[in-house]
């Protein structure tokens, strides 16, 4: 009786099947890379700051403005970061106040009103603004905005303009001549740096709104502005809010621009024309001079931890706010 069992055909080698499993692991690794990078950064910063954590006077650190890391003689150093924290938050807050209306207004115009070459040109210019290095923005604040602000806010002490500036809390009657590099200059520069990010993300959020929303609003008799205010903004508020908060994160982590434009003076600002000093600028300016392993060196890393915690808190808060707004909209 003949053998009816035929031999099974040999399976040919397939390169795609061979690399499928390594590709899956590579994708998993890419997905976890962001979390691993953040954890590695935090561990590195905490490792350098850890020897100073039990020896630092934390009450003085958060309540004092005396930042004297290398005093002369036998005087003890002072590590009071209150003015640095206040300078960071004040410049960031002012930048956000200036950048939000400009960025959202520009995004609405580009997305809803600009047509043809005007729209394409504006989008290219916004991208070019985002590509300008921060050190160039610092030069602009130092050499262009600084002299303008100094001329505008400097006046005779007895003039009506000087009294008006003091009454509006834009200038102080106790600090004498206004310095060109100050809180206002730094805030304007940070706002200009944050605007391209806010415009780009806000425009994407507005374009993501279905055209049926616009058509329905226009069919009901709404004019373009009413369509934007009552239809597009509520529909895209998650993306718009995320754009503004990401712009805030862009401003709070900036270094070189505020180092040149904000005055770099260790003081708590009381008016817009007071020079300020931020934590990022302090780290950049003093890290090269600090002795490796010294208290000064360790405290700079503690400043980095404080800045890291602030930025993480902003990101977590923004995520919670966006989720809360989304859940409210779904109810």
């Amino acid at each position: 009786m003949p053998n009816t069992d035929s031999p099974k055909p040999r399976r040919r080698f397939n390169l795609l099947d061979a690399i499928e499993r390594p590709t899956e692991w590579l994708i998993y690794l890419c997905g976890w890379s962001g979390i691993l990078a953040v954890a590695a950064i935090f561990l590195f910063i905490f490792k350098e700051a850890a020897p100073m954590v039990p020896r630092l006077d934390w009450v003085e650190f958060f309540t004092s403005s005396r930042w004297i890391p290398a005093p002369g003689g036998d005087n003890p150093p002072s590590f009071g970061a209150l003015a640095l924290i206040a300078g960071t938050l004040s410049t960031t807050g002012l930048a956000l106040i200036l950048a939000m209306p400009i960025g959202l207004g520009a995004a609405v115009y580009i997305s809803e009103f600009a047509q043809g070459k005007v729209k394409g040109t504006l989008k290219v210019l916004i991208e070019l603004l985002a590509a300008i290095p921060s050190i160039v923005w610092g030069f602009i604040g130092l050499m262009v905005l600084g002299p303008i602000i100094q001329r505008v806010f400097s006046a005779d002490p007895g003039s009506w303009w000087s009294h008006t500036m003091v009454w509006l809390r834009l200038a102080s009657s106790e600090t004498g001549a206004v310095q060109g590099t100050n809180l206002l200059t730094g805030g304007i520069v940070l706002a200009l740096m944050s605007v391209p990010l806010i415009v780009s993300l806000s425009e994407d959020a507005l374009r993501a709104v279905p055209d049926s929303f616009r058509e329905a609003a226009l069919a009901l008799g709404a004019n373009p502005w009413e369509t934007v205010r009552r239809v597009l903004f509520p529909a895209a508020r998650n993306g718009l809010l995320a754009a503004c908060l990401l712009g805030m994160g862009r401003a709070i982590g900036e270094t070189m621009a505020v180092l040149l434009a904000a005055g770099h003076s260790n003081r708590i600002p009381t008016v817009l024309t007071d020079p300020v000093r931020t934590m990022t600028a302090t780290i950049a300016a003093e890290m090269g001079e600090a002795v490796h392993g010294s208290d000064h060196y360790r405290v700079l890393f503690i400043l980095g931890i404080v800045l890291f915690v602030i930025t993480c808190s902003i990101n977590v808060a923004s995520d919670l706010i966006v989720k809360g707004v989304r859940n409210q909209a779904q109810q």
Side-chain angles (χ1 to χ4, degrees):
M1 185 175 180
N3 187 10
T4 58
D5 294 337
S6 59
K8 295 182 179 180
R10 296 181 60 184
R11 185 177 181 183
R12 295 182 178 180
F13 176 76
N14 193 334
L15 179 61
L16 295 179
D17 293 338
I19 65 175
E20 180 178 359
R21 181 63 62 179
T23 303
E24 291 180 0
W25 284 106
L26 180 61
I27 293 174
Y28 291 150
L29 180 61
C30 292
W32 283 89
S33 61
I35 299 176
L36 295 177
V38 172
I41 292 172
F42 181 79
L43 289 176
F44 166 73
I45 298 176
F46 186 79
K47 172 179 172 296
E48 297 294 331
M52 191 62 187
V53 170
R55 296 190 290 111
L56 182 65
D57 187 349
W58 290 97
V59 175
E60 178 188 11
F61 183 79
F62 286 109
T63 60
S64 175
S65 299
R66 288 178 52 85
W67 180 265
I68 309 176
D74 296 331
N75 298 321
S78 298
F79 299 109
L82 179 61
L84 306 180
I85 298 174
T88 301
L89 298 180
S90 59
T91 52
T92 303
L94 179 60
L96 190 63
I97 292 173
L98 297 176
M100 280 180 56
I102 298 175
L104 294 179
V108 169
Y109 178 74
I110 294 174
S111 175
E112 304 300 323
F113 298 100
Q115 300 293 334
K117 293 183 179 180
V118 175
K119 184 174 184 177
T121 303
L122 288 176
K123 293 184 70 173
V124 171
L125 290 177
I126 292 297
E127 293 175 358
L128 288 177
L129 284 177
I132 296 177
S134 61
I135 189 67
V136 176
W137 283 114
F139 283 142
I140 293 174
L142 179 65
M143 305 302 297
V144 179
L145 290 176
I148 293 175
I149 291 177
Q150 188 173 17
R151 287 196 299 269
V152 170
F153 290 96
S154 294
D156 295 333
S159 64
W160 67 271
W161 178 251
S162 177
H163 289 298
T164 303
M165 293 298 101
V166 173
W167 182 73
L168 294 175
R169 304 299 296 171
L170 298 176
S172 175
S173 59
E174 301 177 356
T175 56
V178 175
Q179 183 176 329
T181 53
N182 48 45
L183 170 60
L184 181 59
T185 307
I188 294 175
V189 170
L190 289 182
L192 293 175
M193 297 178 66
S194 302
V195 161
L197 180 62
I198 296 177
V199 172
S200 179
L201 297 178
S202 299
E203 186 201 357
D204 292 339
L206 291 172
R207 285 195 293 107
V209 178
D211 291 336
S212 58
F213 285 36
R214 299 174 177 84
E215 296 169 357
L218 295 175
L220 292 174
N223 57 39
W225 170 240
E226 289 176 339
T227 302
V228 170
R229 183 167 58 91
R230 297 187 177 184
V231 177
L232 298 183
F233 274 3
R237 54 186 172 183
N238 293 337
L240 299 178
L241 180 60
C244 294
L245 292 174
L246 287 175
M248 182 178 180
R250 171 75 171 89
I252 200 172
E254 183 50 47
T255 302
M256 295 308 299
V258 292
L259 179 61
L260 294 177
H264 203 62
S265 177
N266 187 35
R267 61 189 303 177
I268 298 177
T270 56
V271 294
L272 290 179
T273 52
D274 281 345
V276 295
R277 188 175 183 181
T278 64
M279 290 187 288
T280 53
T282 301
I283 295 172
E286 298 182 4
M287 182 58 73
E289 301 177 356
V291 179
H292 184 81
S294 63
D295 291 347
H296 185 196
Y297 175 85
R298 305 293 184 188
V299 172
L300 291 178
F301 277 94
I302 291 179
L303 281 180
I305 292 178
V306 173
L307 186 63
F308 188 85
V309 170
I310 292 176
T311 54
C312 287
S313 301
I314 292 175
N315 291 332
V316 172
S318 64
D319 186 62
L320 294 177
I321 292 173
V322 170
K323 287 182 178 179
V325 172
R326 185 184 296 115
N327 295 333
Q328 185 179 1
Q330 292 176 353
Q331 291 178 356

